[in-house]
């Protein structure tokens, strides 16, 4: 046994006056704090967090949430204080809480006053969030499908409209008015870092204003149960400086680049003759289907099938070979392709940047 001088801690062993039980409790508490606190704090930030607001709408919502949280905490502490007083005060002192002024004040007047003030505040924030974003706003029509998102950037003329899917690019600092529609069932659009959520309802158009204060990548998802693959209906919002956004917009308006080389030509041929054009559009080719995502610049997207898989070659091959295995009940049927056509098609689609 190593011996140490008086008051000198040996390696890993300290003299203490705490009992073993209290020492263990203290150690457990400090370890729990060490583990849970960083976890809790990191959960507040990230690309899909309402507690990490990155635009004016989400900032207002976060403010409102913290005010409600603070109010609820105060009321909780008040009730807890009264409970402690009643438990530990002398029997004679508890009588003061029996007075009907206290019952009416604490049970009726206080809640009515607090809830009325909060209601006015909530209405004010609600009105701010739904205010007209102005003439300068970028307007994008968002259509929810089972289970993906279509984005139509509305141009000054109808032929200037740009249709893309599952990734929404927006310019930093400029308000964006989203016109929300649904092609089938009720969906709900929610990008927590940028704004609150709003439903996409068949037969009507809802609007939602979003804006990003800085460049970034944000993840959103459908927030209304809409069928078997509701949880695989994600989207990404990319906010970028205006010049970068304009370059992206111009590039996306271009038709798809023609295949270069025999392998890519084989990929395009496989795509065009396999039934894909019935549902998908690739501008610049004969593919003009409208029921599936526009694939003109599919290669520039980060993910496949609304955030289900990253857009890698292996995942493109897996998805084309067996979409029903990866995302059961989605509307893309399985085609029988030989291995070479499958790989060439995956490469061709990946080249559409
Ligand atoms: Cu769309 Cu849930």
């Amino acid at each position: 046994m190593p011996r140490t001088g008086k008051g000198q801690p040996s390696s890993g062993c300290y003299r203490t006056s705490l009992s073993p039980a209290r020492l263990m409790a203290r150690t457990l508490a400090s370890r729990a704090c060490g583990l849970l606190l960083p976890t809790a704090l990191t959960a507040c930030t990230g690309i899909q967090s309402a507690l990490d607001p990155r635009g004016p709408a989400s900032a207002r919502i976060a403010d409102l949430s913290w005010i409600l949280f603070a109010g609820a905490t105060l009321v909780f502490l008040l009730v807890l204080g009264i409970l402690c007083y009643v438990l530990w005060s002398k029997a004679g002192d508890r009588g003061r809480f029996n007075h009907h002024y206290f019952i009416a004040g604490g049970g009726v007047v206080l809640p009515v006053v607090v809830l009325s003030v909060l209601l006015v505040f909530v209405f004010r924030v609600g009105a701010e969030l739904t205010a007209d974003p102005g003439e300068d706003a970028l307007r994008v029509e968002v259509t929810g499908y089972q289970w993906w998102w279509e984005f139509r950037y509305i141009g000054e003329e109808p032929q200037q409209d740009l249709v893309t899917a599952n990734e929404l690019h927006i310019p930093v600092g400029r308000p964006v008015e989203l016109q929300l529609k649904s092609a089938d069932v009720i969906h709900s659009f929610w990008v927590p870092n940028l704004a609150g959520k709003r439903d996409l309802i068949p037969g009507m158009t809802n609007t939602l204003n979003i804006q990003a204060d800085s460049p970034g990548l944000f993840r959103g998802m459908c927030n209304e149960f809409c069928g078997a693959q509701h949880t695989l209906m994600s989207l990404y919002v990319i906010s970028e400086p205006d010049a970068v956004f304009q370059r992206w917009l111009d590039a996306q308006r271009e038709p798809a680049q023609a295949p270069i080389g025999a392998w890519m030509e084989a990929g395009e041929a496989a795509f065009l003759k396999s039934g894909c054009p019935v549902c998908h559009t690739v501008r610049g080719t004969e593919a003009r289907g409208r029921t599936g995502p526009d694939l003109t610049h599919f290669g520039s997207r980060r993910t496949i099938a609304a955030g289900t898989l990253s857009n890698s070659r292996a995942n493109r091959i897996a998805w084309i070979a067996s979409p029903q295995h990866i995302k059961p009940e989605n509307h893309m049927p399985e085609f029988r392709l030989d291995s070479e056509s499958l790989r060439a098609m995956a490469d061709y689609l990946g080249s559409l940047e």
Side-chain angles (χ1 to χ4, degrees):
M1 279 289 279
R3 291 186 66 87
T4 54
K6 199 176 179 186
Q8 296 283 314
S10 70
S11 57
C13 180
Y14 294 81
R15 285 178 180 279
T16 171
S17 57
L18 289 178
S19 69
R22 291 189 71 178
L23 187 63
M24 183 180 275
R26 206 160 88 168
T27 309
L28 282 175
S30 82
R31 288 201 179 152
C33 282
L35 283 172
L36 294 178
L37 199 62
T39 311
L41 290 175
T42 42
C44 296
T45 59
I47 64 168
Q48 190 178 324
S49 171
L51 299 176
D52 184 13
R54 303 289 291 275
S58 51
R60 293 296 282 143
I61 292 169
D63 288 347
L64 182 63
S65 307
W66 287 118
I67 287 169
L68 292 175
F69 180 68
T73 305
L74 280 178
V75 171
F76 175 69
L77 291 177
L78 182 71
V79 172
L80 213 60
I82 293 171
L83 182 70
C84 291
Y85 180 83
V86 168
L87 284 176
W88 285 300
S89 63
K90 290 188 193 126
D93 293 341
R94 292 173 204 158
R96 68 183 64 179
F97 291 112
N98 283 341
H99 200 284
H100 66 274
Y101 285 133
F102 184 81
I103 306 291
V108 180
V109 177
L110 187 68
V112 166
V113 170
V114 169
L115 293 177
S116 300
V117 170
L118 285 177
L119 192 67
V120 171
F121 192 65
V122 168
F123 278 152
R124 243 184 57 193
V125 172
E128 281 172 30
L129 296 180
T130 51
D132 187 334
E135 281 302 300
D136 179 48
L138 178 75
R139 288 183 162 77
V140 184
E141 195 179 283
V142 181
T143 307
Y145 289 80
Q146 285 173 316
W147 292 280
W148 59 281
W149 307 89
E150 182 180 87
F151 300 119
R152 175 182 290 270
Y153 290 76
I154 301 171
E156 286 172 14
E157 304 290 332
Q159 62 268 27
Q160 288 181 318
D161 282 7
L162 166 71
V163 178
T164 180
N166 299 327
E167 279 188 16
L168 180 69
H169 287 243
I170 61 172
V172 167
R174 184 171 162 196
V176 181
E177 183 191 83
L178 301 177
Q179 302 171 354
L180 307 173
K181 301 175 175 189
S182 171
D184 36 49
V185 299
I186 299 177
H187 304 272
S188 183
F189 184 95
W190 192 28
V191 183
N193 297 78
L194 297 181
K197 56 188 91 155
R198 184 127 319 147
D199 283 358
L200 296 82
I201 300 171
M204 64 183 288
T205 303
N206 283 338
T207 59
L208 177 70
N209 301 327
I210 65 168
Q211 183 178 320
D213 290 332
S214 56
L217 174 74
F218 309 105
R219 190 173 185 274
M221 77 300 257
C222 181
N223 206 63
E224 177 79 37
F225 181 73
C226 55
Q229 298 302 334
H230 155 70
T231 51
L232 293 182
M233 188 172 170
S234 306
L235 68 135
Y236 284 91
V237 177
I238 298 101
S239 63
E240 48 207 2
D242 193 50
V244 179
F245 169 73
Q246 287 301 334
R247 275 206 299 280
W248 174 85
L249 200 62
D250 293 342
Q252 294 280 314
R253 284 205 170 107
E254 294 292 317
Q257 65 181 60
I260 299 167
W263 179 253
M264 292 298 183
E265 282 170 8
E268 184 192 50
F271 177 80
L272 292 176
K273 70 171 201 276
S274 299
C276 312
V278 174
C279 299
H280 295 287
T281 290
V282 175
R283 279 176 281 123
T285 73
E286 298 147 31
R288 297 204 184 91
R290 290 293 313 278
T291 51
D294 185 300
L295 300 179
T296 307
H297 296 286
F298 173 74
S300 69
R301 295 182 201 147
R302 287 162 177 73
T303 67
I304 301 172
T308 304
L309 299 169
S310 64
N311 193 355
S312 68
R313 181 178 196 249
N315 286 340
R316 285 193 298 275
I317 291 173
W319 174 254
I320 299 165
S322 191
Q324 291 302 319
H325 176 74
I326 293 168
K327 198 166 172 176
E329 293 184 35
N330 85 82
H331 296 313
M332 180 155 150
E334 304 206 350
F335 297 100
R336 295 269 168 261
L337 289 167
D338 61 82
S339 154
E340 194 168 294
S341 300
L342 182 64
R343 286 182 291 122
M345 195 199 288
D347 287 339
Y348 165 67
L349 289 171
S351 77
L352 300 178
E353 291 195 352

